[in-house]
């Protein structure tokens, strides 16, 4: 259990971790990995103070190393859901649940584009979590639609449980090597329910399954943490980087324009300081 769980893995998250540790908090960063950060895609950065020229990847590696060297715990995976539980938050990452009194969202700007029909069928034949829902499809045929290599672990789990697993790619990536998983050509375009089955439409035709599992390296903020206030596509925050939920903060591109490294780093710093203050208040209240 850490004082602070930070969901991200870009400059906002690493900055937040560094300051949190300086403020005496233990912290865990949950990240799908640097290749999904906007920063890694930046060829040359010339507007970061103190470093006149550096590639995005090099700057990212330096930030991550600093945070790790200071004692940040790093968990690679997709944070799928955050649930409040008393005065704590439970963050679901793969099969693990991380419990913490405070959470920082440093998710970046990328928003998953959902397939037509996906949102409506979620929980009714469509799932985003193999380990959570796989058992509902015991000995039944399912499809996996994955946008990243992280989907392999869930697909392999489903292969243990379901009668068959067909694997479609939403984005090109390395596929799982498990021979029980059948790779199918065709780009998924839509989902619908028909006669108790989920019908998947691709650019090659249609196929029906008992269940369809969809895996992506990010989750829309409102789905990740129900009740979170949004302003358009961005997460609402005040000047302390506090969201509308107690001890939940956000920083970086996910709070909106401008999408800049220095802004993400500054907001990460503020979020960590606010979290340290509010956790101290919470603990003082418990002692009183
Ligand atoms: C091509 C390009 C060039 C750029 N050039 C510049 C520049 O020159 N100067 C400048 O200031 N800015 C530049 N930027 C913008 C800069 O990269 C971003 O502003 C910055 O990376 C934002 O940092 P962040 O921490 O908010 O998000 P990101 O760096 O995007 O990191 C977010 C991370 O969180 C992860 N994540 C999201 N959801 C989850 C989840 N549920 N579980 C686990 N992990 C999750 C993502 O996969 C990603 O790794 C550029 C961006 C691009 C794309």
């Amino acid at each position: 259990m850490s004082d602070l769980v930070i969901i991200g893995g870009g400059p906002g998250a690493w900055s937040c971790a560094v300051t949190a540790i300086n403020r005496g908090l233990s912290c865990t960063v949950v990240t799908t990995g640097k290749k999904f950060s906007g920063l890694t895609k930046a060829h040359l950065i010339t507007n970061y103070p103190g470093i006149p020229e550096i590639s995005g990847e090099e700057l990212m590696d330096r930030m991550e190393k600093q945070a790790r060297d200071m004692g940040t715990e790093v968990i690679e995976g997709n944070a799928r859901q955050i649930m409040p539980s008393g005065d704590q938050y439970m963050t679901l990452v793969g099969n693990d649940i991380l419990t913490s009194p405070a959470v920082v969202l440093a998710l970046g700007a990328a928003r998953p584009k959902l397939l037509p029909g996906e949102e409506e069928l979620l929980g009714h034949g469509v799932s985003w979590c193999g380990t959570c829902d796989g058992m509902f499809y015991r000995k039944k045929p399912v499809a996996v639609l994955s946008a990243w290599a992280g989907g392999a672990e869930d697909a392999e789990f489903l292969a243990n449980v379901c009668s068959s697993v067909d694997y479609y790619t939403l984005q090109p990536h390395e596929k799982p090597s498990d021979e029980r998983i059948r790779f199918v050509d065709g780009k998924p375009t839509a989902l619908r329910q028909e006669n108790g089955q989920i019908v998947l439409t691709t650019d090659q035709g249609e196929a029906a399954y008992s269940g369809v599992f969809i895996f992506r390296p990010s989750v829309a903020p409102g789905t990740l943490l129900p009740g979170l206030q949004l302003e358009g596509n961005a997460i609402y925050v005040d000047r302390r980087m506090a969201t509308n939920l107690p001890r939940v903060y956000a920083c970086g591109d996910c709070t909106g324009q401008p999408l800049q490294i220095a802004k993400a780093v500054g907001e990460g710093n503020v979020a960590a300081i606010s979290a340290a203050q509010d956790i101290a208040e919470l603990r003082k209240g418990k002692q009183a």
Side-chain angles (χ1 to χ4, degrees):
M1 179 174 157
S2 286
D3 296 320
L4 191 59
V5 167
I6 303 167
I7 321 283
W14 300 126
S15 163
C16 184
V18 163
T19 297
I21 288 182
N22 268 346
R23 287 275 169 149
L25 300 181
S26 58
C27 82
T28 301
V29 169
V30 179
T31 176
T32 46
K34 69 177 180 180
K35 77 173 180 181
F36 298 107
S37 157
L39 184 54
T40 309
K41 298 183 186 92
H43 175 62
L44 185 67
I45 309 291
T46 55
N47 69 336
Y48 195 73
I51 308 176
E53 284 195 1
I54 189 164
S55 75
E57 189 164 8
E58 165 80 25
L59 183 57
M60 179 76 136
D61 288 345
R62 287 198 204 179
M63 288 181 180
E64 179 174 345
K65 182 173 184 316
Q66 183 181 0
R68 281 181 184 266
D69 288 351
M70 288 173 74
T72 305
E73 187 193 359
V74 180
I75 295 181
E76 291 212 4
N78 185 15
R80 290 185 175 128
Q81 188 143 39
I82 304 170
M83 290 157 288
S85 168
D87 56 15
Q88 304 288 308
Y89 287 93
M90 297 194 302
T91 302
L92 181 68
V93 188
N95 292 330
D96 298 327
I97 292 179
L98 311 176
T99 306
S100 59
V103 176
V104 177
L105 307 173
L107 310 172
R111 295 281 169 270
K113 196 170 172 297
L114 305 187
L115 292 170
E118 179 174 345
E119 202 157 16
E120 300 84 316
L121 292 172
L122 207 58
H124 302 280
V126 172
S127 168
W128 290 342
C129 178
T131 35
C132 317
D133 295 334
M135 287 303 172
F136 298 131
Y137 301 95
R138 207 179 173 81
K139 298 198 168 42
K140 293 181 178 166
V142 298
V144 165
L145 281 45
S146 185
W148 69 312
E153 202 182 313
D154 282 276
E156 281 164 16
F157 169 76
L158 291 170
N160 294 326
V161 175
C162 304
S163 60
S164 64
V165 178
D166 282 359
Y167 194 100
Y168 298 79
T169 49
L170 293 168
Q171 298 286 338
H173 62 265
E174 200 182 318
K175 294 168 195 153
S177 53
D178 192 317
E179 58 191 24
R180 296 169 300 171
I181 298 169
R182 190 171 78 101
F183 297 105
V184 186
D185 283 337
K187 191 173 163 34
T189 54
L191 296 161
R192 68 175 194 277
Q193 203 166 35
E194 211 172 271
N195 302 326
Q197 299 272 91
I198 301 296
V199 179
L200 168 66
T201 307
T202 73
D203 58 1
Q204 313 268 316
E206 291 192 343
Y209 298 96
S210 296
V212 172
F213 289 83
I214 305 177
F215 304 128
R216 299 191 183 87
S218 60
V219 178
T223 310
L224 182 63
L225 182 44
L228 189 68
Q229 187 180 336
L230 304 177
E231 276 182 338
N233 266 339
I235 299 172
Y236 162 81
V237 281
D238 64 16
R239 284 188 59 81
R240 301 178 70 240
M241 296 300 123
T243 69
N244 62 311
L245 301 173
R247 294 179 309 288
V248 177
Y249 313 85
C251 62
D253 284 3
C254 65
T255 68
Q257 297 284 345
L259 310 184
Q260 292 280 280
I261 305 159
K263 181 234 182 209
V265 165
E267 289 189 353
N269 166 274
V270 175
I273 292 170
S274 301
Q277 288 166 344
D278 295 345
I279 291 171
E281 280 299 311
L282 177 76
R283 291 181 176 155
K284 227 190 285 169
K286 277 187 176 171
Q287 280 165 6

